[in-house]
Amino acid sequence: MNQNTEQLRTDPIGRLLFKLSLPAMIGMLVTALYNIIDTIFVARGIGATAVAAIGIAFPIQMILMAVSSAVGLGGASISSRKLGKGDDAGAAVTFLNVLVLVGVFAAFAVSSAFFMLDDILTVFGATSAIMELSRQYLSVVLISSPFFMFTLAASAMVRAEGQAPYQMKVMLTTVVVNLVTTPLFIFTFDWGIYGAAWSTALAQVVGSVLMLRFFFAKKNRRTELDFQWRKFRLRFGELKEIMAIGSSSFIMMVSQSILFVGVNVMLGTYGGTEELAIFAIINKFMALVGMPIMGIVQGMQPIVGYNFGARQFDRMRETIWTALRVGIAIAVIIWLTLQLIPEQLMRMFTTDANLIAGGVMAIHVLFAVSFLPSVQMLINGIYQSLGKARVAMFLSLSRQTLYTIPLVFILPNFFGVFGVWLAFPIADAMTFLTAVGMAVWDRKLLFRPSEEEVEAKATNL
């Protein structure tokens, strides 16, 4: 049996979830903190206009992240269940299929973005004041995006083997590279926004090299997957399944990208560069709210998927309940922090009194009930790990597509810029109710599974 995955079958759930989630949480939390610090460097070294420009560019990066994360999560779900059944060779083939998909999507997406860059930036809300800065930033970041896409997809496969600590090391290494090179390029070399872009690109390349080392290094190779290259064939049925399972994550991230575009457009219509800069800053705190919960989800998924495949339903159920308790507790702590010290948080980025006042008000409103979506993220992660693509897709659609995006376009017509901020807490509450309703409906599958009930539900879903 694969030594990396034996722990998923036998280790105590609390300790195992901690072991797999903590590296992911630390890595993602550090990444979120890096994004905040990086924005501080840009704000202090270049100005609020540059922050707004990067904020406009972010939805394009989100789409590329969505593609790679979808492929990686879909492949990881299949691999976890294969490893649970003892099919190590099948898990290796799944990984190779993931690499092919990422390569095809990266080539198509990046080349398309280059050809239509100005048009895309205009649609995404770039004003004349920030168009050139957004173009400069993206022209560099797009070049390194294939490396970033590979790293994201490979990270999910690393977690499927129960090797989350290595993923954490990769993320921490890229963050350190970014933190060292960003101030060097901006302040010492005086490269302006190009400095921020090249720093990001360099970190993405380093991350991909470390992931390649995990799977393919001749010495100190860490994976136990057996890559039999001569026997490899594309499995189109499995490619379809990978995309079906990962589609919920893809839709969720693309919807988030569309949401950011909508927010930028409405802020540009009812406000201006100041409001765009505020949202670009707040965006970083939105990641801070979500990333630790995603760390819990990423630690939970291989345990749930593996034990579902191994038909150890008691361990699966215990994992789900433990993840829910821990995830909600973390979300509440972050929510309290944002509500108690918003002014201090804004002062890290700027000394402009108007920008600080507008940011404090926006944080209070936008994050009013920001702990509630953690439940939706965790429940959605459960469905993904069980391969329930349609249900996971619906839950992914619920937050951004069904609720937040329409509210962002409707409420500003009545409340102006305040309506943009108000759309988020209303959507968060509606998302929470939707996710809890789905979990209650499927409670026998998720929380009290027996072998017969699982087979019946699997047939119907």
Side-chain angles (χ1 to χ4, degrees), residues 1 20 49 56 124 139 235 251 326 355 431:
M1 179 172 290
L20 296 183
T49 302
I56 292 293
F124 282 16
S139 64
R235 295 181 177 178
I251 291 173
V326 174
L355 209 62
T431 299

Side-chain angles (χ1 to χ4, degrees), residues 87-104:
D87 185 10
D88 293 1
V93 172
T94 298
F95 175 70
L96 296 178
N97 278 275
V98 165
L99 291 187
V100 171
L101 273 178
V102 169
V104 171

Side-chain angles (χ1 to χ4, degrees), residues 87-243:
D87 185 10
D88 293 1
V93 172
T94 298
F95 175 70
L96 296 178
N97 278 275
V98 165
L99 291 187
V100 171
L101 273 178
V102 169
V104 171
F105 284 133
F108 174 77
V110 174
S111 60
S112 299
F114 264 118
F115 280 116
M116 301 182 293
L117 187 56
D118 283 3
D119 293 334
I120 291 173
L121 288 173
T122 300
V123 172
F124 282 16
T127 63
S128 58
I130 60 177
M131 173 65 80
E132 181 59 28
L133 287 173
S134 293
R135 185 189 300 116
Q136 291 172 2
Y137 181 79
L138 268 177
S139 64
V140 174
V141 171
L142 282 174
I143 296 173
S144 63
S145 290
F147 298 97
F148 182 50
M149 294 174 72
F150 164 74
T151 302
L152 283 179
S155 294
M157 302 301 296
V158 169
R159 293 193 303 272
E161 285 200 63
Q163 290 292 298
Y166 186 84
Q167 183 213 7
M168 181 189 71
K169 292 178 182 178
V170 173
M171 296 182 72
L172 289 176
T173 301
T174 59
V175 167
V176 170
V177 170
N178 243 322
L179 289 177
V180 171
T181 56
T182 298
L184 178 67
F185 292 167
I186 291 177
F187 296 104
T188 304
F189 294 172
D190 196 24
W191 287 358
I193 201 165
Y194 278 121
W198 279 113
S199 175
T200 299
L202 179 61
Q204 291 172 350
V205 172
V206 170
S208 67
V209 170
L210 293 176
M211 281 297 175
L212 285 170
R213 180 174 178 270
F214 178 91
F215 288 104
F216 302 117
K218 292 182 179 180
K219 295 182 179 180
N220 299 321
R221 183 169 171 265
R222 294 174 179 269
T223 184
E224 295 187 29
L225 300 182
D226 183 16
F227 295 107
Q228 300 179 22
W229 295 97
R230 293 181 179 179
K231 297 181 179 180
F232 171 68
R233 296 291 185 277
L234 282 178
R235 295 181 177 178
F236 292 99
E238 186 163 279
L239 293 177
K240 182 179 179 181
E241 185 180 0
I242 288 172
M243 293 309 302

Side-chain angles (χ1 to χ4, degrees), residues 387-402:
K388 310 308 177 188
R390 286 181 292 178
V391 182
M393 182 183 296
F394 174 78
L395 285 177
S396 296
L397 283 169
S398 65
R399 187 180 184 189
Q400 278 94 7
T401 306
L402 296 182

